[in-house]
């Protein structure tokens, strides 16, 4: 466990904080308090105007339902991406997905309110959960796998040595297929969450592609070597 935390602090801490918040939310708060938490952390227009950064961070750790399902999908999404690109780049990828997905979906909602297509009460819609983060990570895992182009030193670990890269991709694809009805629900009506999910997934694919091109350019110039944003650690088995 210590080696996983040292090598993969981003996914480990994300999951740990999410579990802690979900546990308190589900078992430590009453219905009224839960409602208050959702109202204060939802990435709606009202909250984004008052505290955009805090709202986008806090909302990713609040799940109104099925938190353990999100934990499972976070494992098959975040760990492979962190192994593929490193922790710092993974933070950039999922952070960009959360920010851009929120801004575009809420920006579209603000425009629709201004044209009268949506009521002004839509400024207070509830929109919480880690879905933007996890959807972008699942897409990045499916497209780019788990095996880094510039490999770190190999130190055996049962979790990573025994699971080939292709199985992480398959797991991410199964997870994304399972989530698809939720992610794209009412997309034809420009639902805020559905639009945000599409944008977050496109951002995950685009940022991941940028990182892959950077890695290949660096390797082609003779600069291949261990990444500096992570400690030497276990590698996934090759597909």
């Amino acid at each position: 466990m210590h080696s996983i935390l040292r090598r993969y602090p981003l996914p480990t801490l994300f999951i740990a904080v999410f579990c802690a918040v979900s546990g308190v939310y589900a078992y430590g708060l009453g219905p009224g308090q839960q409602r208050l938490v959702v109202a204060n952390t939802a990435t709606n227009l009202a909250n984004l105007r008052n505290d955009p950064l805090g709202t986008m961070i806090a909302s990713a750790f609040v799940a109104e339902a099925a938190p353990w399902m999100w934990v499972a999908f976070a494992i098959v999404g975040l760990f492979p991406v962190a192994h593929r690109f490193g922790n710092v780049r993974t933070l950039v990828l999922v952070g960009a997905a959360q920010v851009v997905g929120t801004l575009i979906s809420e920006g579209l909602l603000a425009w629709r309110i201004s044209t009268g297509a949506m009521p002004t009460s839509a400024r207070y819609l509830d929109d919480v959960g880690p879905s933007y983060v996890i959807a972008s990570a699942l897409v990045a895992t499916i497209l780019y796998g788990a095996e880094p182009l510039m490999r770190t030193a190999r130190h055996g670990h049962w979790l990573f040595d025994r699971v080939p890269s292709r199985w992480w991709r398959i797991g991410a694809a199964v997870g994304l297929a399972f989530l698809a009805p939720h992610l794209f629900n009412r997309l034809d009506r420009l639902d805020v969450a559905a639009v945000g999910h599409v944008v977050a997934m496109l951002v995950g694919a685009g940022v991941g592609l940028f990182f892959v091109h950077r890695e290949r350019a660096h390797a082609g110039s003779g600069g291949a070597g261990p990444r500096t944003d992570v400690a030497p650690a276990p590698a996934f088995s090759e597909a």
Side-chain angles (χ1 to χ4, degrees):
M1 182 64 189
H2 175 72
S3 63
I4 294 178
L5 178 60
R6 182 168 58 88
R7 174 61 179 83
Y8 305 102
L10 176 69
T12 303
L13 292 177
F14 178 89
I15 292 170
V17 173
F18 179 78
C19 287
V21 173
S22 296
V24 172
Y25 179 87
Y27 305 111
L29 302 179
Q33 293 171 312
Q34 290 178 342
R35 187 80 205 109
L36 185 61
V37 169
V38 171
N40 288 331
T41 59
T43 51
N44 55 41
L45 291 172
N47 288 339
L48 289 172
R49 181 175 182 179
N50 296 326
D51 184 12
L53 181 60
T55 296
M56 283 188 278
I57 293 174
S59 65
F61 296 98
V62 178
E64 294 184 87
W68 311 122
M69 175 192 73
W70 291 113
V71 170
F73 294 139
I75 291 173
V76 298
L78 289 173
F79 277 101
V81 176
H83 184 79
R84 179 67 175 83
F85 297 123
N87 292 283
V88 173
R89 290 182 175 184
T90 299
L91 178 60
V92 171
L93 187 148
V94 299
Q98 175 79 348
V99 171
V100 178
T102 298
L103 293 181
I104 291 182
S105 61
E106 294 293 338
L108 178 60
L109 175 63
W111 175 76
R112 297 181 72 199
I113 292 174
S114 70
T115 63
M118 292 290 288
T120 56
S121 60
R123 291 174 50 83
Y124 302 94
L125 290 176
D126 294 338
D127 189 8
V128 296
S131 54
Y132 291 4
V133 169
I134 292 175
S136 65
L138 290 174
V139 167
T141 296
I142 293 168
L143 294 178
Y144 310 116
E147 189 67 21
L149 182 64
M150 295 179 291
R151 301 178 184 178
T152 56
R154 290 182 178 270
H155 299 281
H157 191 286
W158 68 271
L159 177 61
F160 305 112
D161 283 348
R162 288 168 172 73
V163 183
S165 177
R166 66 177 176 273
W167 288 111
W168 291 99
R169 284 178 137 162
I170 292 172
V174 170
L176 192 60
F178 180 86
L179 288 173
H182 164 74
L183 298 179
F184 306 127
N185 185 35
R186 297 188 298 176
L187 179 61
D188 58 330
R189 303 179 187 177
L190 297 181
D191 178 79
V192 171
V195 171
H197 291 140
V198 172
V199 174
M201 292 165 67
L202 291 174
V203 170
V207 173
L209 182 61
F210 173 76
F211 290 155
V212 168
H213 283 318
R214 287 290 301 272
E215 284 183 347
R216 288 174 177 168
H218 189 54
S221 66
R227 296 188 302 271
T228 59
D229 64 323
V230 291
F236 290 86
S237 298
E238 295 184 18

